[in-house]
Amino acid sequence: MPKQLAVEARDLWKRYGFPLRPYLRQRWDKLRGQFVDDREAYGPWALREVSFAIEPGESLGIVGKNGAGKSTLLKLIAGVCPATHGNVQANGRLFPMIELSSGIHRELTGRENIKLLGAIMGFTARQMDAKMPEVEEFSELGNWLDQPVWQYSSGMQARLGFSVAVNVDAEILLIDEVLSVGDVNFRKKCLNRMDELANSGVTIIFVTHNPYAIERICQRALYIKDGRIAAEGSPHDILNAYFESSMDRSTIIEEMPVISAAQREGTGSFRVTGISMHDVETKQVIKSIATGDSALFRIALHVKEPTPHYIFSIRIIDPAGTVLSFVDVPMSTRRQLALTRDCALECQIDHINLLPGQYWVDLRAHEVAGPVIDALSYAFSFTVEGHNAVIEQLENRGLIYLPARWTLAEPS
């Protein structure tokens, strides 16, 4: 007998509301004897042609831009709203955390809402009383549990909902970006708990913009773009496809004319007019380096006013927007680097131990304890290529490559 799937979606299409113009167009086409498939001609569609299957105990991450259809897909899986075409089936006790207020009554206390959410899941009052200490301990809400939820912040509501979700023996857990409102320590606690649930056989469908959470929790990922599944595969491959497709390159200045000063923040006493990366020895322009190599960044400046004192920063950013490193002009050299005319700043960064991939550079200059002079986001991009030792580390990506040696030693 074939094993039952945890979740299966077949040719899902979803359109919200009752769009009048598509309906009238469809009626007109029928009057003219033209019978067109509703799915092909009449939109707009929140989801189109979405099909996938999830095995019991599998963890699936879903990424995509805002409005791509991620939350709509979770609502269809949860049964919150019906599909316009196609069908989706979930087999098992399901708990959806799609919105902070899902299943929560604002006028009830936190404790009363825990019982309410348990009742929605099919638990009796006695069973929820037995689970209450675990929920209380995980939520860390203390005396706030006896206060009405309308007094809660968004982070406290997330604590309440998530604490119930991970303690009611759900077989399928739907989580839609609700952890983004919690504090850092609680998010870490939630990710650790999700690790435990995933390892215990709970099926998790996880929507988030946090790439490292997806790589940590999920075995597989979907990239949804404009309501369709654009890619499906390992978290590493899907995140790379998503970042490459969604990165805003509107401010990148390489191979482009100088961006108008009027479009950039800052006083403009000097402006960045170009940036390039060079080989440290040959000084030739390069676009990529190998993990562990050094590189020379050359930043061309147009100086409008003499600027003897300033702070200039290079920020290296990964595709998720995480700042990996700041490189500032050292205080000891600022006097030597006073700007009096058009020139170029050169910054050599040694031993760049980034893992293979594409990275971006932000530039920011401001007066010492004063206003911003110039700032460019995603001003330049470069690629890091790996060698064999680095490739082995890519399975568990992380942020940087740390060279290491492993040996066997006698027990102490």
Side-chain angles (χ1 to χ4, degrees), residues 253-318:
I253 62 176
E254 54 179 327
E255 301 175 0
M256 290 177 60
V258 178
I259 298 174
S260 169
Q263 298 177 8
R264 284 154 47 183
E265 65 173 309
T267 61
S269 58
F270 65 83
R271 292 290 190 189
V272 174
T273 59
I275 177 172
S276 54
M277 186 171 69
H278 299 256
D279 184 276
V280 171
E281 295 181 358
T282 66
K283 308 302 181 185
Q284 290 183 338
V285 174
I286 55 176
K287 293 288 187 178
S288 64
I289 58 171
T291 298
D293 281 357
S294 303
L296 179 71
F297 290 89
R298 193 172 193 275
I299 303 155
L301 302 176
H302 169 57
V303 180
K304 293 174 62 179
E305 302 171 10
T307 311
H309 307 293
Y310 62 92
I311 297 174
F312 199 101
S313 303
I314 293 176
R315 297 194 303 178
I316 297 178
I317 298 172
D318 73 357

Side-chain angles (χ1 to χ4, degrees), residues 34-97:
Q34 296 180 0
F35 297 94
V36 182
D37 186 347
D38 175 50
R39 289 174 291 185
E40 295 298 328
Y42 311 107
W45 294 97
L47 288 175
R48 303 164 63 96
E49 303 175 306
V50 172
S51 299
F52 62 90
I54 306 175
E55 298 284 345
E58 187 178 11
S59 299
L60 178 74
I62 302 177
V63 298
K65 291 183 178 181
N66 292 335
K70 306 184 299 297
S71 298
T72 295
L73 179 56
L74 290 196
K75 288 177 181 177
L76 266 57
I77 295 171
V80 174
C81 59
T84 307
H85 298 284
N87 62 80
V88 59
Q89 183 174 355
N91 302 303
R93 189 196 299 270
L94 183 149
F95 193 103
M97 277 201 71

Side-chain angles (χ1 to χ4, degrees), residues 160-171:
L160 179 66
F162 195 88
S163 299
V164 176
V166 298
N167 286 290
V168 293
D169 306 322
E171 296 169 320

Side-chain angles (χ1 to χ4, degrees), residues 13 99 128 166 198 235 305 312 325 338 378:
W13 293 66
E99 296 176 358
M128 286 310 298
V166 298
E305 302 171 10
F312 199 101
S325 181
Y378 302 110

Side-chain angles (χ1 to χ4, degrees), residues 347-369:
C347 174
Q348 180 172 320
I349 304 177
D350 295 322
H351 310 302
I352 302 175
N353 283 320
L354 296 174
L355 290 178
Q358 189 170 20
Y359 296 88
W360 278 260
V361 170
D362 274 8
L363 302 175
R364 189 173 184 86
H366 62 89
E367 297 177 12
V368 178

Side-chain angles (χ1 to χ4, degrees), residues 338-352:
L339 301 177
T340 58
R341 55 186 174 79
D342 290 0
C343 58
L345 279 175
E346 291 189 343
C347 174
Q348 180 172 320
I349 304 177
D350 295 322
H351 310 302
I352 302 175

